[in-house]
Structures are given as C-alpha cells and as structure tokens.
C-alpha cells in the first residue's frame, strides 16, 4: 500500500481530485491511505471535498496490517480539534497489541524537530504530539508539508519527512533532500 502524507491536490477542490488525483491512482490496484494536507482542506479549511471523497472518518483513523498499526491524524483542517486528535491517537496507540509496530502519519511536521521548525506546526501543538509519540515509542512518524526528504529522531522515535509532490523542492537539506 501507499501512504500519502498530504497535499494530494493544490487547493482541495473536487474538480482537482477528479482531474488530477483520481485518474492517477485509478491506474493501479495498490491501496492508498491519505493524511490530509493544508492544500487538501478546500474552502474554509473544512475538508468538505476531502471527506466527500474519502469518507467522514477520513481525517483521523487507523488500520492494522500484519503486526503493525498505522494511525493518521489531521493537523490541517478546522474540522477537528488538535487535542481531540491527540486523544484519539493516544487511545489507538495504547490499544495496539504489545507485539505490534506503530506508525503515525500526518501532514505538518513537529516544530520540536528543530531543522523543520521553519515550516512546521506550532510549538503549542508540537510538544504534546512528540511527547505522545515518545510515550508510546512509535516506530516511525511520517510527515509531509516541507517539499524535501529528511529524517531525524527525537527521544527514540524516528521521524521521516517526505514532501516532494509537485512543487519545487526546498534547498535546506542539500542534494539528498
């Protein structure tokens, strides 16, 4: 399967999904899972088009595959409250079987990873998020938003930034970024 860490389209309009995103993914039978990005939220940042395409429960959800739990969180729309999303993530990570690996995907990276702080979620939102990831010793957190590739770890948790998509790449991480 494929994990998309947000920004599937440019503005979050239904015609963009119909014209660009859906034709591309319809050419494969590989399942895909999308964390909503800031470009996916649409008019008023309510994620109406996103939810009509992916379902009402598509902003925050999890699934298990093999011995792994994958958690997806919304840190871009105004439809959900961040503290409520963290409560859901805590519940889902806590309820994962002890022998499971855990992975979290969201769009904006945490500011607590200092090299990403220039284009990331707020410090107020980042600290409780990374604290929660550390509490559950999540195996990997996948983020987008910054148009580059970069990795880091914080308190034993690995973080991967992979936000290449269709825009120009940021140059802060050198040629490997």
């Amino acid at each position: 399967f494929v994990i998309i860490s947000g920004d599937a389209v440019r503005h979050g309009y239904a015609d963009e999904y119909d014209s660009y995103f859906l034709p591309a993914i319809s050419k494969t039978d590989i399942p895909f899972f999308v964390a909503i990005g800031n470009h996916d939220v649409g008019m008023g940042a309510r994620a109406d088009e996103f939810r009509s395409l992916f379902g009402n429960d598509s902003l925050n959800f999890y699934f298990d595959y093999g011995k792994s739990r994958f958690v997806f969180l919304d840190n871009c729309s105004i439809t959900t409250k961040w503290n409520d999303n963290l409560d859901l993530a805590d519940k889902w990570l806590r309820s994962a079987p002890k022998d499971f690996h855990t992975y979290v995907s969201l769009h904006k990276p945490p500011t607590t990873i200092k090299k990403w702080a220039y284009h990331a979620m707020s410090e107020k939102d980042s600290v409780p998020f990374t604290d929660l990831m550390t509490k559950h010793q999540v195996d990997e957190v996948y983020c987008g938003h910054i148009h580059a590739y970069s990795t880091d770890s914080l308190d034993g948790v690995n973080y991967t930034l992979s936000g290449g998509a269709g825009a120009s790449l940021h140059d802060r991480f050198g040629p490997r970024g």
Side-chain angles (χ1 to χ4, degrees):
F1 56 86
V2 174
I3 291 174
I4 300 170
S5 56
D7 289 352
V9 295
R10 186 168 179 116
H11 300 291
Y13 302 139
D15 65 329
E16 292 177 316
Y17 289 106
D18 290 340
S19 298
Y20 303 109
F21 185 69
L22 293 175
I25 64 165
S26 70
K27 294 178 182 177
T28 181
D29 59 357
I30 299 171
F32 65 95
F33 300 91
V34 182
I36 190 167
N38 62 304
H39 287 276
D40 301 317
V41 297
M43 295 291 289
R46 293 184 314 266
D48 293 332
E49 290 88 347
F50 187 90
R51 289 183 292 140
S52 71
L53 178 62
F54 296 109
N56 281 331
D57 295 328
S58 61
L59 300 179
N60 297 289
F61 65 96
Y62 80 91
F63 69 92
D64 295 336
Y65 181 80
K67 288 191 170 209
S68 297
R69 173 152 297 174
F70 294 85
V71 174
F72 289 74
L73 298 175
D74 170 15
N75 67 348
C76 292
S77 83
I78 63 167
T79 305
T80 62
K81 294 180 180 169
W82 185 236
N83 287 339
D84 293 343
N85 298 351
L86 292 179
D87 288 345
L88 283 172
D90 186 36
K91 173 183 161 189
W92 295 334
L93 292 167
R94 186 176 56 250
S95 68
K98 295 295 179 211
D99 60 340
F100 270 38
H101 293 282
T102 52
Y103 304 94
V104 174
S105 184
L106 72 170
H107 186 61
K108 294 178 185 175
T111 300
T112 43
I113 306 285
K114 296 303 179 194
K115 66 183 176 180
W116 302 336
Y118 73 98
H119 195 55
M121 64 173 114
S122 71
E123 186 82 19
K124 173 181 78 71
D125 291 342
S126 294
V127 170
F129 172 73
T130 53
D131 286 351
L132 183 65
M133 299 301 102
T134 300
K135 171 184 169 184
H136 291 288
Q137 281 300 287
V138 168
D139 290 280
E140 189 93 27
V141 175
Y142 300 105
C143 309
H145 198 52
I146 296 174
H147 294 253
Y149 174 76
S150 181
T151 60
D152 210 330
S153 63
L154 179 67
D155 298 327
V157 176
N158 294 316
Y159 291 80
T160 296
L161 173 75
S162 181
S168 299
L169 298 176
H170 289 213
D171 61 2
R172 290 182 179 237
F173 305 107
R176 291 189 60 199

